[in-house]
Amino acid sequence: MCGPGRHAHQRANRSGNASIIQPHHYRTSSPALLIKFHLVLPPASKFPPSPLLHHLHPPLATHYSSLLSAFASPRKYRWRTSLSVALCILGNSGLAVSKMETLAMGASVSASGLCARATAQTSQTSRAALASAFSGKSLRALKSNVSLTLASQRPRQLRVVAEAQKETLSKTAQLPEDDGTSDVQRPATKGSDRKMSIKDIDSKEYKGKTVFVRADLNVPLNDQLEITDDTRIRASLPTIQYLTKAGAKVVLASHLGRPKKGPEERFSLKPVAGRLTELLGQTVELAPDCIGDEVKSKIAGLKEGDVLLLENVRFYKEEEKNDIEFSKKLSENIDFFVLDAFGTAHRAHASTAGIADYVTSRLAGLLLEKELEYLSGVVQKPTKPFVAIVGGSKISSKITVIESLMNVCDKVILGGGMIFTFFRAEGKSVGSSLVEEDKIELAKNLAELAKKKGVELILPVDVIAADKFAPDANVQTCSASSIPDGWMGLDIGPDAIKQFQEALSDAKTVLWNGPMGVFEFEQFAKGTFAVAETMAELTSKGAITVVGGGDSVAAVEKAGLADKMSHVSTGGGASLELLEGKVLPGVAALDDVRIHA
Ligand SMILES: Nc1ncnc2c1ncn2[C@@H]1O[C@H](COP(=O)(O)OP(=O)(O)OP(=O)(O)O)[C@@H](O)[C@H]1O
Ligand SMILES: O=C(O)[C@H](O)COP(=O)(O)O
């Protein structure tokens, strides 16, 4: 990390003035509305701040004034500093503010910390003031000044992002004219946030401290309860080792599978503790539970560098319900919360998100950081040409991903079972291949959208068709437009492999999700392996290659090419949600770092 934010943060840390940098989160039991404002404010020297801010929250304005003068760099950010206020407002019991953070972009300071300080002192007043500010008149007034964009809508959560335009706000905030010394044209804070990672804190801080690490150790087990793929365990090691080396007492938590009836032997993390012991070269004890007195005394007995694995957090139904009391119990006697479970970061569960409300420091682990860097980084700032390859069988779960990718890709290559829905949309005969009838219209729309956006949407020219879905099926290669009745396409054909290789030849960034065929059966694995090999070659030529999705990763592992990719994601659902541009609840709960570009 670079930039003044880092220094400001470290300064605050060393001086022990933790309250300045520690964001404070109010409990969100049922967030109904998140409104985010980017307010363009005059510099500290020109305070009192905008009437709009006063209107919103007078105590915050006062604190902002003094804190801003302490942090803002007088030379670089003299002209303009942006402040964002994010408010989660509860919808079910009137309006009550559940979470608030300010992001002082210009000062590049973790301004959630700034606001935390302000609100920590006046939490009740803040809640009331903000609630009333948004309960009626004020909100209407704001709406006329701020352009509201509906970002996403869910049954229980409505997210609205309101971005103030410079022009409209400058009227409201009575900003001085641009004197040409600032970065005024730059958008406020959008897309610039990065989460605090365990490396953003001096490693000495961890010595003797208890660090709760939520990892995703959800690995496949066979009938003998042996681990059949330890990728996720190995991927979690760097964070654990970094912390133990720093002298932390590591309390490791994870889920395994989807137990529904409380504790069950087949969902126990026991095999994981054994594998961790082997890989770390030190004993990793499995606690009998994840909460309770016995666990507490085990945590109390930890020595520096020890690792204790808690039993499956999903043995409690409260975990998936993101229960407040359960979250509190998990947080007991914890100094730092570290989320490293990228594969579960799309779940708003107690151990991935809820716990964050009850600890003072919420940090990203090294795996999570790497995943975000590659997956978000690739999508947000790809080196062009950027080619996405989307395959697999579930068009319904990938349609939004394809749509999002079209905003950033030069080419989108489609393979796997989903192509037949597209062929049907083009009126082609697909035999008995997999088709999602109710998605034909969507496929048509996507093809149209690609044309509109000037994105090349590439479908295979030929396929390997089989007379049954079985490893020993009879096969024939046929043109993608004429699969005989009774036959089903189970892989892309030899010409399609050449076609895809050609399309990929100049790619500088490649993102792959979903196999090209039923690679589990040898005779339908050629397309998938050919794509994996092509990507490996591209990596060796300097391209960035990223593979996500459970089966795609398994295919790359099976081909022995996992280490030839720039990044192989440990997240299935999580990587898809990230590519769709969704905010992962686990990630959202972590502390922000703001870097001024
Ligand atoms: N032509 C096809 N017909 C039927 N099934 C197919 C075809 N091509 C691939 N598949 C199947 O698709 C499955 C993988 O699809 P899926 O969409 O789940 O991909 P994934 O990589 O696991 O991604 P994610 O984890 O994000 O869901 C594989 O089991 C594979 O056999
Ligand atoms: O395997 C996964 O994708 C993660 O571990 C999340 O598991 P879940 O889908 O059961 O929440």
Side-chain angles (χ1 to χ4, degrees), residues 283-444:
T283 304
V284 175
E285 191 190 343
L286 177 70
D289 205 334
C290 61
I291 52 169
D293 290 343
E294 210 175 335
V295 171
K296 267 193 223 164
S297 71
K298 286 215 180 282
I299 292 177
L302 287 175
K303 291 194 281 300
E304 287 177 14
D306 280 355
V307 181
L308 175 73
L309 177 63
L310 302 183
E311 188 50 286
N312 195 339
V313 283
R314 288 194 187 169
F315 283 167
Y316 288 86
K317 60 181 182 329
E318 290 86 347
E319 160 68 1
E320 292 180 61
K321 288 186 173 157
N322 198 7
D323 179 80
I324 294 176
E325 293 312 316
F326 185 68
S327 302
K328 279 185 191 163
K329 283 181 190 156
L330 287 174
S331 74
E332 276 171 20
N333 306 322
I334 296 303
D335 298 304
F336 293 92
F337 166 66
V338 174
L339 181 72
D340 209 26
F342 174 71
T344 328
H346 60 314
R347 307 283 183 221
H349 292 175
S351 68
T352 57
I355 183 174
D357 285 351
Y358 306 103
V359 290
T360 50
S361 213
R362 301 148 272 253
L363 308 168
L366 302 177
L367 173 65
L368 182 79
E369 192 181 35
K370 190 173 170 220
E371 293 271 15
L372 295 177
E373 191 180 308
Y374 272 101
L375 290 164
S376 315
V378 151
V379 175
Q380 281 165 12
K381 288 179 245 136
T383 312
K384 300 272 191 162
F386 176 20
V387 185
I389 311 167
V390 185
S393 53
K394 295 165 283 182
I395 187 167
S396 42
S397 64
K398 304 214 173 153
I399 212 121
T400 38
V401 177
I402 298 173
E403 207 178 322
S404 303
L405 288 173
M406 279 185 186
N407 293 325
V408 278
C409 286
D410 302 289
K411 300 172 191 174
V412 175
I413 295 176
L414 297 183
M418 66 167 64
I419 53 174
F420 306 103
T421 306
F422 283 86
F423 289 145
R424 274 289 293 278
E426 291 174 5
K428 292 175 178 166
S429 61
V430 297
S432 47
S433 306
L434 187 76
V435 171
E436 287 187 50
E437 296 289 341
D438 58 335
K439 296 292 177 299
I440 293 175
E441 204 49 42
L442 269 177
K444 229 182 250 174

Side-chain angles (χ1 to χ4, degrees), residues 34-282:
L34 172 66
I35 301 181
K36 190 167 184 171
F37 299 89
H38 298 294
L39 307 181
V40 181
L41 294 172
S45 58
K46 302 224 170 141
F47 258 78
S50 81
L52 181 57
L53 187 64
H54 268 302
H55 187 58
L56 271 177
H57 185 28
L60 171 62
T62 315
H63 283 280
Y64 177 75
S65 174
S66 57
L67 290 165
L68 183 69
S69 21
F71 282 103
S73 152
R75 195 177 53 81
K76 195 165 180 190
Y77 307 112
R78 206 171 56 82
W79 197 93
R80 171 186 181 248
T81 298
S82 306
L83 171 73
S84 294
V85 182
L87 308 167
C88 278
I89 300 177
L90 299 183
N92 54 353
S93 56
L95 288 170
V97 175
S98 60
K99 178 183 170 186
M100 181 164 105
E101 58 174 0
T102 64
L103 308 160
M105 176 67 171
S108 298
V109 173
S110 169
S112 11
L114 304 189
C115 184
R117 194 179 175 204
T119 54
Q121 292 166 14
T122 58
S123 62
Q124 287 313 316
T125 345
S126 306
R127 285 164 192 249
L130 287 161
S132 70
F134 284 96
S135 59
K137 204 168 98 224
S138 316
L139 181 57
R140 277 198 296 280
L142 275 168
K143 272 185 182 167
S144 60
N145 287 312
V146 176
S147 68
L148 293 171
T149 316
L150 199 62
S152 76
Q153 205 168 352
R154 295 182 189 172
R156 286 176 61 104
Q157 186 176 0
L158 176 70
R159 175 160 294 195
V160 178
V161 176
E163 280 194 31
Q165 303 302 316
K166 183 206 161 202
E167 295 76 20
T168 47
L169 271 178
S170 61
K171 279 183 217 142
T172 321
Q174 296 164 349
L175 281 174
E177 286 307 302
D178 188 352
D179 63 8
T181 61
S182 83
D183 52 356
V184 71
Q185 295 308 326
R186 191 159 37 225
T189 57
K190 211 175 168 188
S192 60
D193 38 343
R194 187 172 80 70
K195 295 297 174 181
M196 287 277 289
S197 116
I198 52 170
K199 286 200 172 166
D200 288 329
I201 285 181
D202 191 332
S203 63
K204 290 190 194 91
E205 303 260 343
Y206 299 116
K207 195 169 162 52
K209 298 280 168 49
T210 307
V211 185
F212 181 102
V213 179
R214 173 50 158 107
D216 187 338
L217 306 172
N218 180 25
V219 289
L221 303 176
N222 63 19
D223 292 345
Q224 286 74 50
L225 302 181
E226 293 158 342
I227 296 165
T228 54
D229 176 8
D230 66 357
T231 308
R232 280 180 166 170
I233 303 178
R234 283 185 285 110
S236 302
L237 297 180
T239 295
I240 302 169
Q241 283 165 325
Y242 180 85
L243 292 167
T244 51
K245 208 167 148 227
K249 302 166 183 176
V250 176
V251 177
L252 204 51
S254 177
H255 72 286
L256 191 139
R258 294 176 173 173
K260 294 288 169 229
K261 298 180 243 158
E264 273 184 86
E265 179 67 15
R266 67 195 174 107
F267 294 117
S268 168
L269 282 162
K270 197 167 160 200
V272 173
R275 189 77 187 111
L276 275 169
T277 298
E278 286 164 20
L279 292 168
L280 288 170
Q282 69 180 89

Side-chain angles (χ1 to χ4, degrees), residues 391-395 397-398 415-420 433-434 469 488-492 513-520 528 548-553 571-573 575-576:
S393 53
K394 295 165 283 182
I395 187 167
S397 64
K398 304 214 173 153
M418 66 167 64
I419 53 174
F420 306 103
S433 306
L434 187 76
F469 189 89
M488 61 185 84
L490 293 185
D491 195 8
I492 56 170
N513 183 297
M516 297 293 98
V518 184
F519 75 98
E520 296 90 339
T528 302
D551 287 307
S552 327
V553 171
S575 67
L576 282 181

Side-chain angles (χ1 to χ4, degrees), residues 430-433 466-468 483-488:
V430 297
S432 47
S433 306
D467 60 354
K468 58 179 174 183
I483 300 168
D485 281 352
W487 289 70
M488 61 185 84

